[in-house]
Amino acid sequence: MGVVAEVWRSSVRLLTNSPQLNGGSHKSALWKWRSFSGQPKRTVMWTWVCGFMLFSLGVISLFTGHVVSHLEWYSQQLSKRSLLDMSRREPIDVWKSKYSKFFYGCSERGRNFPPAVQEHSSNGYLLIAASGGLNQQRTGITDAVVVARILNATLVVPELDHHSYWKDDSDFSDIFDVNWFISSLAKDVTIVKRVPDRVMRAMEKPPYTTRVPRKSTLEYYLDQVLPILSRRHVLQLTKFDYRLANDLDEDMQKLRCRVNYHALRFTKRIQSVGMKVVKRMRKMAKRFIAVHLRFEPDMLAFSGCDFGGGEKERAELAEIRKRWDTLPDLDPLEERKRGKCPLTPHEVGLMLRALGFTNDTYIYVASGEIYGGEKTLRPLRELFPNFYTKEMLANDELKPLLPFSSRLAAIDYIVSDESDVFITNNNGNMAKILAGRRRYMGHKRTIRPNAKKLSALFMDREKMEWQTFAKKVKSCQRGFMGDPDEFKPGRGEFHEYPQSCICQRPFSYDKTSTDEEEEDMSEENHNSTSPGHVHLSSADNERDEVFPD
């Protein structure tokens, strides 16, 4: 009868917490549940009917073994819906979501998930050549592990891209802890550092090399790729970024999370430098913002947008744009209206001040070369004088990393991930990857501009008072602040919205919970999901996916 009792208690909680019963008052709802005096008979009757139905389902589940799981799911959906309805009605706390403490990352291996196929029993060796900058390659590495699992293949540690725009000669082991990568995934996929010499000597032909279509399905890999692997024993997949479908079953999605958020750990050297920067920020301020500015010349040229620099800017960006043969001709004004243009540093500053961040807020700017240099950054500095970069905080420690763009990007990744609030001016790979990670780590505040609505506001900001502008910014940014209610199952990239790896704690409407409890919950989230960081001491969619890293 323990299951029945639990179901009955769930029904009580559902009815107690239901916004339809409480009318906005938690205490009155609880009082109504305990005492029905003075209520209309129809309300009392309906309350008892609902309770009886839930109790009955619990009894039936003792014999069927299935209904309880559906009931729990229904209970969670009602609880989540009520929680999110409340969050939409409340003022936005720019530093953290009030309801984030009820969500946490969960990517544990299912009890029915078979162990990894051992090397001698696998279908062959899978070689992966990643593509792009650090974060684009990160998506490829994550999906490579899943593809190896699909094919029952032995994965060879992926090869990083040395030939793209970034010209970084770093190997996997220069950026990631390769031994941890192999050992932490040993129960999921067998990974080796290289194809054994005996296998290479026995091959009659060189490894078969091919490139699979973007977002290839599980069935495609089984029908088209597996026969080649079985026949040739060693197979290389090139330009491997976004080559696996977004929608997979839950076990495979959780494997993606185990790879991305746990197995891909930076080297101790990179971790050390990154955490030194974080500690120096924390020494100056209890909390800080990380702003990821993609305003490099290649990003601006790729976007096809106009940033107010006149004919000189248009000529320079047009020349850079010639690097991409397949980019269509775009109307800069139409792109801006559609929200496809990255915000300028000045616009980012205006958005933050309008949201309520004061000018004494400490900000860390994660960026590469800024088009226009100091002149472009000056308006942001004036809005936020406490302005810092990795070069300002760790110049000496960075010197050995300067020739390697991906290692420098890893420093920005660590500091941005550790920040209290993360803001991006674009929809590129780092923005997506970090947004997903911060959701997994407890929905840490992550602000992405609602560029489509903000663009109209920025164009008209001289025509309105500041208070009006700020009010409009707050209104259009609701739903773009990294809150749990921004989850849209089935929509968006899984790396940005890892919904299969987000679990929910029981929710109560009791407002008496203390700040200490919230801090304890937050600390629990951080400690339980931080193995990825070792603290030392459609057409538009397709274009977004290949956005420069």
Side-chain angles (χ1 to χ4, degrees):
M1 291 300 290
V3 176
V4 177
E6 180 58 32
V7 172
W8 178 251
R9 285 194 292 270
S10 297
S11 69
V12 173
R13 286 196 296 268
L14 274 174
L15 293 168
T16 302
N17 296 333
S18 171
Q20 282 78 12
L21 290 179
N22 65 27
S25 173
H26 312 321
K27 293 181 179 178
S28 64
L30 186 58
W31 178 85
K32 288 176 184 178
W33 172 250
R34 291 173 177 169
S35 173
F36 295 100
S37 58
Q39 287 193 24
K41 291 184 178 179
R42 179 175 298 178
T43 302
V44 176
M45 180 67 71
W46 177 244
T47 300
W48 280 107
V49 167
C50 289
F52 181 75
M53 289 173 63
L54 289 171
F55 178 76
S56 300
L57 284 172
V59 174
I60 295 171
S61 69
L62 288 174
F63 303 99
T64 65
H66 299 290
V67 177
V68 166
S69 62
H70 295 299
L71 177 62
E72 289 172 350
W73 177 87
Y74 183 64
S75 172
Q76 290 174 1
Q77 296 307 306
L78 285 179
S79 174
K80 185 175 181 180
R81 188 181 307 161
S82 301
L83 182 157
L84 301 180
D85 286 344
M86 289 179 64
S87 71
R88 294 188 185 103
R89 295 194 297 267
E90 295 175 345
I92 296 174
D93 181 341
V94 294
W95 286 102
K96 66 176 181 178
S97 169
K98 178 179 179 181
Y99 300 102
S100 63
K101 63 185 179 182
F102 295 106
F103 297 87
Y104 63 97
C106 53
S107 59
E108 295 81 5
R109 194 176 295 101
R111 65 178 62 183
N112 295 321
F113 197 59
V117 173
Q118 296 304 303
E119 182 178 355
H120 65 274
S121 303
S122 71
N123 289 322
Y125 294 87
L126 181 64
L127 303 169
I128 293 290
S131 175
L134 174 67
N135 296 289
Q136 189 171 335
Q137 292 186 95
R138 192 181 187 103
T139 65
I141 295 167
T142 298
D143 288 347
V145 174
V146 180
V147 169
R149 174 79 192 197
I150 291 170
L151 299 175
N152 278 336
T154 297
L155 177 66
V156 179
V157 171
E159 175 187 335
L160 301 190
D161 188 348
H162 298 162
H163 307 293
S164 64
Y165 170 80
W166 295 268
K167 298 292 189 294
D168 189 327
D169 293 332
S170 299
D171 291 323
F172 189 100
S173 59
D174 295 320
I175 298 176
F176 300 108
D177 185 336
V178 64
N179 292 326
W180 169 256
F181 177 73
I182 293 172
S183 63
S184 65
L185 294 169
K187 293 183 179 179
D188 298 307
V189 172
T190 298
I191 305 174
V192 297
K193 293 183 179 179
R194 55 188 299 233
V195 179
D197 289 339
R198 58 177 175 76
V199 175
M200 296 298 291
R201 287 195 299 267
M203 292 176 59
E204 297 178 357
K205 299 179 181 179
Y208 188 91
T209 300
T210 187
R211 184 189 305 178
V212 298
R214 283 184 172 272
K215 295 186 177 180
S216 294
T217 63
L218 181 148
E219 290 75 19
Y220 179 89
Y221 281 100
L222 292 176
D223 295 341
Q224 303 297 324
V225 180
L226 181 57
I228 300 173
L229 177 65
S230 299
R231 187 170 63 251
R232 301 292 294 268
H233 302 298
V234 181
L235 170 66
Q236 182 178 45
L237 301 181
T238 62
K239 298 286 287 184
F240 201 82
D241 60 334
Y242 296 99
R243 303 292 166 175
L244 181 60
N246 196 48
D247 296 325
L248 300 173
D249 66 50
E250 185 172 294
D251 282 333
M252 292 300 185
Q253 299 290 48
K254 285 182 179 289
L255 176 55
R256 267 175 163 161
C257 295
R258 290 198 293 278
V259 180
N260 199 359
Y261 307 135
H262 297 272
L264 282 175
R265 176 187 289 178
F266 293 120
T267 63
K268 290 183 178 180
R269 184 177 186 180
I270 290 174
Q271 280 286 341
S272 177
V273 177
M275 291 311 298
K276 282 181 181 177
V277 175
V278 172
K279 288 178 181 177
R280 289 166 188 172
M281 287 296 297
R282 294 276 180 218
K283 190 174 182 180
M284 294 183 289
K286 182 179 179 181
R287 54 190 185 182
F288 71 93
I289 296 172
V291 181
H292 179 226
L293 285 180
R294 282 305 321 266
F295 213 71
E296 297 91 335
D298 68 299
M299 159 65 81
L300 306 190
F302 187 90
S303 72
C305 298
D306 191 324
F307 299 93
E311 188 57 39
K312 178 176 179 292
E313 175 194 288
R314 284 191 287 274
E316 289 175 350
L317 297 184
E319 186 64 28
I320 298 173
R321 194 172 169 82
K322 292 178 182 178
R323 295 173 185 166
W324 295 282
D325 298 330
T326 59
L327 292 184
D329 291 329
L330 301 171
D331 183 327
L333 182 58
E334 286 301 314
E335 289 300 290
R336 185 164 294 278
K337 288 180 179 179
R338 294 173 59 222
K340 296 299 179 181
C341 299
L343 269 60
T344 67
H346 188 202
E347 290 171 339
V348 170
L350 290 172
M351 178 188 73
L352 293 176
R353 292 296 299 273
L355 286 172
F357 291 102
T358 56
N359 75 332
D360 61 350
T361 301
Y362 280 71
I363 69 170
Y364 173 87
V365 175
S367 69
E369 174 195 0
I370 298 293
Y371 182 73
E374 182 57 34
K375 180 180 178 182
T376 302
L377 287 173
R378 189 177 301 122
L380 178 59
R381 285 183 184 271
E382 291 173 352
L383 289 167
F384 293 96
N386 298 314
F387 176 109
Y388 294 91
T389 64
K390 57 183 176 293
E391 291 80 8
M392 297 168 65
L393 295 170
N395 187 54
D396 291 339
E397 293 91 337
L398 288 177
K399 286 180 180 177
L401 307 179
L402 291 179
F404 308 102
S405 60
S406 289
R407 300 185 210 182
L408 292 174
I411 304 301
D412 281 337
Y413 182 101
I414 292 170
V415 182
S416 297
D417 183 39
E418 293 288 337
S419 67
D420 298 275
V421 179
F422 174 65
I423 297 100
T424 177
N425 74 326
N426 65 91
N427 195 34
N429 291 296
M430 180 169 170
K432 291 179 179 178
I433 287 286
L434 266 174
R437 179 179 173 87
R438 289 172 68 89
R439 287 186 173 95
Y440 181 83
M441 294 298 177
H443 285 277
K444 295 161 68 176
R445 178 65 80 201
T446 304
I447 301 173
R448 56 192 177 99
N450 183 354
K452 188 172 183 179
K453 291 187 177 180
L454 284 175
S455 63
L457 280 178
F458 288 133
M459 287 189 284
D460 293 338
R461 72 177 185 274
E462 301 298 336
K463 302 176 184 178
M464 63 184 83
E465 298 289 332
W466 173 255
Q467 290 81 2
T468 303
F469 174 76
K471 184 178 180 181
K472 289 180 178 291
V473 169
K474 290 175 183 175
S475 176
C476 73
Q477 278 300 119
R478 190 173 288 276
F480 290 77
M481 300 291 287
D483 288 306
D485 59 340
E486 293 176 19
F487 254 54
K488 298 172 183 175
R491 296 181 61 185
E493 288 296 329
F494 181 79
H495 298 293
E496 184 177 6
Y497 295 97
Q499 59 268 21
S500 299
C501 303
I502 306 295
C503 294
Q504 183 182 351
R505 292 187 175 89
F507 171 69
S508 170
Y509 284 96
D510 182 8
K511 289 187 177 181
T512 62
S513 58
T514 63
D515 291 338
E516 288 79 5
E517 288 174 337
E518 291 187 16
E519 290 175 3
D520 290 344
M521 190 86 76
S522 177
E523 186 68 20
E524 177 191 333
N525 280 341
H526 183 77
N527 290 337
S528 64
T529 56
S530 60
H533 283 305
V534 181
H535 292 252
L536 303 179
S537 22
S538 47
D540 291 335
N541 292 336
E542 181 73 7
R543 198 154 65 89
D544 285 342
E545 287 157 13
V546 295
F547 226 44
D549 216 2

